[in-house]
Amino acid sequence: AASDFQSEQQGRTMLLSLLHIGLAAPCRTRPPTMQASGLEAERNKATARRGVMERSFLQPGTALVALEQKRAANPIGFGAKAAAAQVKKKKKTRTKGSRARPLSALATELKASGVVRIDGALSPALVEELREFVDAERVQATADVKAGRCDQKARFADLVLLDKRCDLLLPLHGPPIAALQELLGEGSVLGPLLQEVVGEAGVLQELACLTSEPGSAQQPLHPDTPWTPIPSAYTAFIALQDVDVEMGPTLYLPGTQTKEAHTSFFGGDLSLGNAGVSGVRRPPIPEEFLRSREVKLGLLKAGDLALYNQQTLHCGSANESRDKVRRQFYISMKNPLAQSKLCASLRPAFRNKLTLGAMKDELAALNGRRTRVDEGGGRGLFGKLDEVDALEVRDTEGAVQIRFGDEGSQLGSEYEII
């Protein structure tokens, strides 16, 4: 028995040594060059093996469930105008030493566990429309990149274990605008919650759709951002179809957004979490730590969402279904006080251009529409940024091609191409 145990331990040590090539990769990594494709393939295999081994140490997991929630008829403090109106209505000013407003039940749970669920964040009709839009946009973006009309980084984000996964960057027109209205606009649940955790100065960091096809591998556990005293960002994953266990739901370890949890995960050396955007994972795998953690699965219905602190340990599970594609529309908001370098799954034209308050004001101006024309004849904040994004697409002669989901547009002199 002792000999068998020793052999098992030696085998495990050897496997972990073989895995080392894939363990220094952050959660998101740049696409391999043709010269490095062989090495990248071996690294991906090693990374996938680590993901499988980590999963074997974890509990089976139970579904992430939603707290009882109420939609706010008039979200307090959401957007500059709403905040100003609220202060004027109450005719009060905060004085030094006055108590801060208590956190909502959702914000309290998010602070404690690092992840919460909100049901029915998107309407069924919009979910279906957005799913079809995403599939069509992926086809168009792939064709643009392949034909040299657009740079890949302007349409797709980078992922580890990219095979059978796609991270598509989305435009600011059509169904994505309607989705932002339902997610962040008046009467939403997510909008006021984000206001509580990042404030109206929070910056849009990601607007994309992550697709996991049958055969996509189990990812290793990771935080999207290293531990810092102030959480860097929050991400909302919204299911565009019902998600079952076979489809590889996102797996969360609640309560692992803390300094103590990161220290344990990185083998006692918290500095390893700062080595890359999403941290570096090296042997040995923290078996005892993983076995001790509660596991929650993002078994969402279409239109439901999971909002998580990006410091929370999580991963994409393997899609073991025969023919079910899992699509997750998602947005992320960066805390303006964050010091960490963050990934931006966002089209370049939109980066550092949209705060939570500005988005709320623009959605109010749209008033349920998807496009608008302002007093100066412009298309509003979203429309102007979408026009800048259109400059990323050119025909083979170098001329700009403009494509919009709802209306055509003419570029003004400020966008003149030389």
Side-chain angles (χ1 to χ4, degrees), residues 194-396:
L194 286 174
Q195 168 68 23
E196 287 189 86
V197 296
V198 300
E200 65 179 24
V203 179
L204 181 68
Q205 188 72 11
E206 296 179 306
L207 177 66
C209 186
L210 182 61
T211 300
S212 171
E213 299 169 351
S216 59
Q218 170 80 38
Q219 289 183 327
L221 285 161
H222 59 271
D224 289 336
T225 55
W227 181 84
T228 51
I230 299 176
S232 298
Y234 294 83
T235 296
F237 280 151
I238 304 97
L240 297 186
Q241 69 292 300
D242 292 352
V243 179
D244 59 35
V245 173
E246 283 189 341
M247 296 169 70
T250 306
L251 180 154
Y252 303 94
L253 302 189
T256 56
Q257 75 280 12
T258 66
K259 180 179 181 180
E260 294 73 20
H262 277 229
T263 300
S264 296
F265 180 67
F266 290 110
D269 187 356
L270 187 63
S271 65
L272 291 178
N274 298 317
V277 173
S278 300
V280 174
R281 299 167 294 284
R282 299 182 183 278
I285 293 176
E287 294 183 37
E288 292 186 10
F289 171 76
L290 296 183
R291 293 183 191 279
S292 70
R293 303 308 306 193
E294 179 185 21
V295 175
K296 290 296 180 182
L297 304 175
L299 299 174
L300 307 175
K301 296 295 184 182
D304 296 347
L305 71 78
L307 176 70
Y308 69 95
N309 176 341
Q310 285 195 355
Q311 296 172 336
T312 304
L313 298 178
H314 65 284
C315 63
S317 301
N319 188 334
E320 298 176 337
S321 69
R322 294 182 60 184
D323 56 2
K324 299 177 183 178
V325 177
R326 180 171 65 96
R327 303 171 187 82
Q328 292 190 130
F329 172 73
Y330 69 98
I331 65 171
S332 298
M333 298 300 301
K334 176 183 176 181
N335 191 316
L337 302 178
Q339 299 297 317
S340 301
K341 180 181 178 182
L342 306 181
C343 288
S345 293
L346 191 66
R347 294 193 175 188
F350 310 153
R351 294 176 187 173
N352 299 312
K353 296 295 193 301
L354 292 165
T355 64
L356 192 57
M359 291 171 70
K360 174 62 169 64
D361 290 341
E362 180 65 11
L363 292 169
L366 284 167
N367 194 26
R369 297 168 297 175
R370 301 183 182 186
T371 61
R372 73 182 183 93
V373 178
D374 58 28
E375 294 179 357
R379 290 168 51 89
L381 179 59
F382 294 154
K384 290 176 181 178
L385 290 174
D386 216 39
E387 286 184 338
V388 176
D389 174 64
L391 296 176
E392 297 285 350
V393 181
R394 301 171 180 273
D395 64 21
T396 54

Side-chain angles (χ1 to χ4, degrees), residues 69-72 106 118-119 182-183 185 187-194:
Q69 56 205 29
K70 295 181 179 180
R71 290 186 177 274
L106 276 173
I118 297 174
D119 288 343
E182 292 192 6
L183 292 172
S188 68
V189 174
L190 179 63
L193 179 54
L194 286 174

